[in-house]
Amino acid sequence: MRAIRITEFGGPEVLTVAEVPDPVPGEDQRLITVDTAGVNYADTHQAEDSYLARQELPMIPGSEVVGRLDDGRRVLAFTTSGGYAEKALAHPSAIVELPDDVTDAQALALFVQGLTAWHLLRTCTAMRPGESVLVHAAAGGVGSLAVQLARHFGAGRVVGLASTEEKRALVCELGADAAVDPAAEDLAGELVRANDGRRYDVVLEMTGGGVFDASLAALGRRGRLATFGMASREPATPIDPSALMLRSQTVTGFWLVHYLDRLREPMAELLDLVRQGVLRPVVGGEYPLEEARAAHEALRARRTTGKLLLTVRGTIP
């Protein structure tokens, strides 16, 4: 089968097309013929071995696919073998059958990113109606859904961070009350001003470095900050526990793999919201499997919005 294989760690240049043997399912795995694969920012970390879990070479990246089981059923799945390929393996507990009126793009936008946004708001920060929410990378895959979900869940005010005027316009179109440039000189002050002069109840943070520091400075009393990425690849300033005590604040981490046992309830809700037209997944680009490198380049350069996809079906001549 055709796949994207990595034989050395590095940037997008290490993603190469190769012919590799088909994966062989074990007793607790199902074989999926892949139609479309999702591209996630975490994939760029895996390629350079800077992700939370250590990677082994050679590897096929990709953690989510839409495709068909042997019996013809169309499914969405987390993969146990790389998703950037014509065939992949998944555990039955990580497979969701898809309704016909949900597209591949919609389904993949809801899986890693949608579940992350849902858990960040519902599980990690327990956002309550009327609270203010700050969303990092608000035009991206997780952020664009988190803005909409926060609004749907009754947030009093939603503010997004986005790096260009076009992205900030999209964030406001999706339901945010304001959007802020993360490159602002006094970012903490700009964030508070965007929230009508008040600090935030909830912050969804995935940038790291100085943006994390400014976001924590903009967090209010009893505020909750959930961090789920480090897109800047720069660590934040170490946190002083006494400063958290002073404001009764919570800083928590999130990694979706720890919540895969809580998959079906939020996924059912997200699919229903899409089918009702309440939630609009943003698709930022579709690339042939052979152009996975270009997808990673665009993602790392922050040229994209929403969800990126790899079209796998039909790539063999």
Side-chain angles (χ1 to χ4, degrees):
M1 70 173 184
R2 182 166 291 190
I4 298 297
R5 185 173 59 178
I6 295 174
T7 57
E8 61 178 326
F9 294 121
E13 72 281 355
V14 303
L15 276 66
T16 59
V17 182
E19 290 289 340
V20 301
D22 290 359
V24 178
E27 293 183 2
D28 60 347
Q29 293 175 316
R30 299 294 304 274
L31 182 66
I32 298 171
T33 299
V34 178
D35 292 329
T36 312
V39 179
N40 297 296
Y41 203 88
D43 300 346
T44 71
H45 284 287
Q46 289 179 323
E48 63 183 13
D49 197 23
S50 64
Y51 197 48
L52 295 169
R54 308 313 300 176
Q55 308 299 309
E56 295 183 2
L57 296 174
M59 64 173 288
I60 299 171
S63 60
E64 55 177 355
V65 299
V66 169
R68 303 276 175 176
L69 297 175
D70 290 341
D71 59 12
R73 283 183 295 157
R74 178 170 169 260
V75 297
L76 173 66
F78 283 111
T79 60
T80 52
S81 68
Y84 291 14
E86 291 175 329
K87 294 183 181 180
L89 302 177
H91 190 277
S93 64
I95 296 174
V96 176
E97 191 164 351
L98 284 178
D100 292 337
D101 56 353
V102 174
T103 68
D104 288 12
Q106 290 172 328
L108 286 165
L110 295 180
F111 219 29
V112 169
Q113 281 108 340
L115 288 172
T116 295
W118 191 97
H119 276 297
L120 287 170
L121 291 166
R122 287 297 204 205
T123 308
C124 294
T125 64
M127 190 214 89
R128 295 183 290 271
E131 291 190 316
S132 57
V133 179
L134 171 63
V135 179
H136 281 211
V142 174
S144 61
L145 294 171
V147 166
Q148 297 177 72
L149 288 174
R151 181 61 70 209
H152 177 68
F153 294 157
R157 189 166 178 83
V158 180
V159 176
L161 281 172
S163 59
T164 68
E165 289 186 10
E166 293 79 10
K167 289 183 179 182
R168 291 191 286 275
L170 172 62
V171 170
C172 292
E173 178 188 334
L174 293 173
D177 298 286
V180 175
D181 186 348
E185 184 174 350
D186 176 20
L187 181 56
E190 287 294 326
L191 291 175
V192 172
R193 284 188 283 275
N195 194 33
D196 289 339
R198 298 186 298 272
R199 287 183 168 85
Y200 293 85
D201 299 301
V202 170
V203 174
L204 310 184
E205 193 284 326
M206 59 81 64
T207 307
V211 178
F212 179 105
D213 297 344
S215 299
L216 183 59
L219 189 68
R221 291 180 181 177
R222 296 168 59 184
R224 290 91 65 202
L225 184 153
T227 182
F228 62 102
M230 195 171 67
S232 70
R233 288 168 165 80
E234 296 177 2
T237 301
I239 297 172
D240 178 2
S242 64
L244 299 179
M245 294 167 58
L246 186 63
R247 293 181 178 273
S248 295
Q249 295 171 327
T250 300
V251 175
T252 185
F254 175 84
W255 189 14
L256 184 59
V257 297
H258 296 138
Y259 292 83
L260 294 184
D261 60 336
R262 302 177 62 181
L263 163 66
R264 302 201 177 274
E265 175 193 349
M267 197 66 218
E269 180 178 355
L270 292 169
L271 286 169
D272 283 344
L273 290 175
V274 167
R275 298 170 79 184
Q276 295 167 22
V278 174
L279 190 62
R280 175 167 71 92
V282 176
V283 179
E286 299 184 19
Y287 297 78
L289 178 66
E290 297 91 338
E291 296 182 15
R293 179 185 302 183
H296 277 224
E297 288 171 346
L299 194 59
R300 290 194 58 164
R302 301 184 182 182
R303 297 196 300 265
T304 66
T305 58
K307 183 69 178 180
L308 299 188
L309 308 170
L310 294 180
T311 302
V312 178
R313 180 185 52 216
T315 56
I316 292 182

